[in-house]
Amino acid sequence: MHKNEKRIKLLSTVLCEIFTVCTILILLADGEPDRLLLAFATLLLAAVPMLTEKLLHCRISLSVYIFALVYAVGPMLGHCWKLYYTVPVWDKLLHISGGVMFAIVGAYLFDLLTKSKELPVVRTIFAFCFSMVIAVLWEFCEFGADIFLGMDMQDDTVIHSLTSYLLGNTPGVTGSIENIQSVVVNGVALPGYIDIGLIDSMLDMLLETLGAIVTCLILWFDKGKHALIQKL
């Protein structure tokens, strides 16, 4: 590995760790302990690319390495620095990035486990399926955090129409409500019907699928000519 590349990777990792430590100190000073868990987790996540290279004796390309660091810090930026609320597309960008990142990891795991580059179709399918499994598991984590920890990781969506079999006049026939302007819950007026996370979760998985598909197509056409992660 080129010395300059090693320096850039080390410097990038150190900067991410310093930024995370500063974030932890700011959260402590502001009295926001509920965000500390994610910040501490980011300390570990930011070290994953470097640990991966050392433990698996591989070389991650510089572009993927930097991309992985940004992806590792992204949730902390969203939650602790509130980019989820000030930059509406931040969450969606992270989900697309997740589809890309884990497809790359899946492709490398296939190479590592099979030690063969003669199965490009199987490799592509494995990379795609690996990325999708991670996406589903993450949605399970968000659901669990919302149910058991009282969080709101599966963002709610205000909708103004709905269709349901429960609204039908006879069994097996759907009914609908259109132009919902307000809903009153325990005396509190809401601007519409609140979907509690389904739309957000489905859109997240669709975006991760899109990221995985694009990445897998690139890997397929490249046919291993430019290894993003390679064994040393």
Side-chain angles (χ1 to χ4, degrees), residues 27 30 32 35 75-88 90:
L27 292 174
D30 291 344
E32 297 186 76
R35 303 177 191 271
M76 184 183 73
L77 290 172
H79 193 54
C80 300
W81 291 92
K82 303 182 180 179
L83 292 190
Y84 285 144
Y85 319 107
T86 58
V87 182
W90 187 256

Side-chain angles (χ1 to χ4, degrees), residues 27 59 69 121 154 163 190:
L27 292 174
R59 174 187 172 272
L69 284 177
V121 175
Q154 294 177 301
T163 300
L190 305 174

Side-chain angles (χ1 to χ4, degrees), residues 25-223:
L25 295 176
I26 291 172
L27 292 174
L28 288 171
D30 291 344
E32 297 186 76
D34 58 313
R35 303 177 191 271
L36 280 175
L37 181 61
L38 179 57
F40 278 112
T42 304
L43 281 175
L44 299 176
L45 292 174
V48 167
M50 179 169 288
L51 291 175
T52 299
E53 286 192 327
K54 291 186 179 298
L55 296 177
L56 298 183
H57 303 289
C58 64
R59 174 187 172 272
I60 303 174
S61 69
L62 183 59
S63 58
V64 173
Y65 193 98
I66 299 300
F67 181 74
L69 284 177
V70 174
Y71 180 66
V73 176
M76 184 183 73
L77 290 172
H79 193 54
C80 300
W81 291 92
K82 303 182 180 179
L83 292 190
Y84 285 144
Y85 319 107
T86 58
V87 182
V89 298
W90 187 256
D91 179 61
K92 305 312 174 191
L93 287 174
L94 285 179
H95 281 285
I96 293 176
S97 299
V100 172
M101 191 71 249
F102 291 112
I104 293 172
V105 173
Y108 176 68
L109 286 178
F110 181 84
D111 294 340
L112 187 65
L113 294 172
T114 64
K115 297 181 173 61
S116 172
K117 294 185 179 180
E118 304 300 322
L119 301 168
V121 175
V122 180
R123 179 177 184 260
T124 302
I125 293 174
F126 181 88
F128 175 76
C129 291
F130 180 82
S131 185
M132 289 299 92
V133 167
I134 299 299
V136 172
L137 290 176
W138 176 249
E139 292 303 320
F140 287 166
C141 290
E142 288 193 351
F143 176 74
D146 290 354
I147 294 296
F148 299 111
L149 300 179
M151 300 178 70
D152 187 26
M153 296 184 71
Q154 294 177 301
D155 292 338
D156 303 331
T157 304
V158 176
I159 59 178
H160 299 286
S161 65
L162 61 90
T163 300
S164 171
Y165 284 110
L166 296 177
L167 298 173
N169 295 322
T170 57
V173 177
T174 61
S176 62
I177 301 176
E178 304 292 336
N179 194 31
I180 301 173
Q181 298 298 320
S182 65
V183 174
V184 177
V185 179
N186 291 342
V188 178
L190 305 174
Y193 176 77
I194 294 184
D195 161 77
I196 53 172
L198 176 62
I199 293 175
D200 176 71
S201 293
M202 295 308 298
L203 182 56
D204 288 347
M205 286 192 284
L206 284 171
L207 290 173
E208 293 192 18
T209 301
L210 176 62
I213 288 174
V214 172
T215 305
C216 288
L217 287 175
I218 292 173
L219 293 172
W220 163 260
F221 285 114
D222 184 73
K223 299 186 183 300

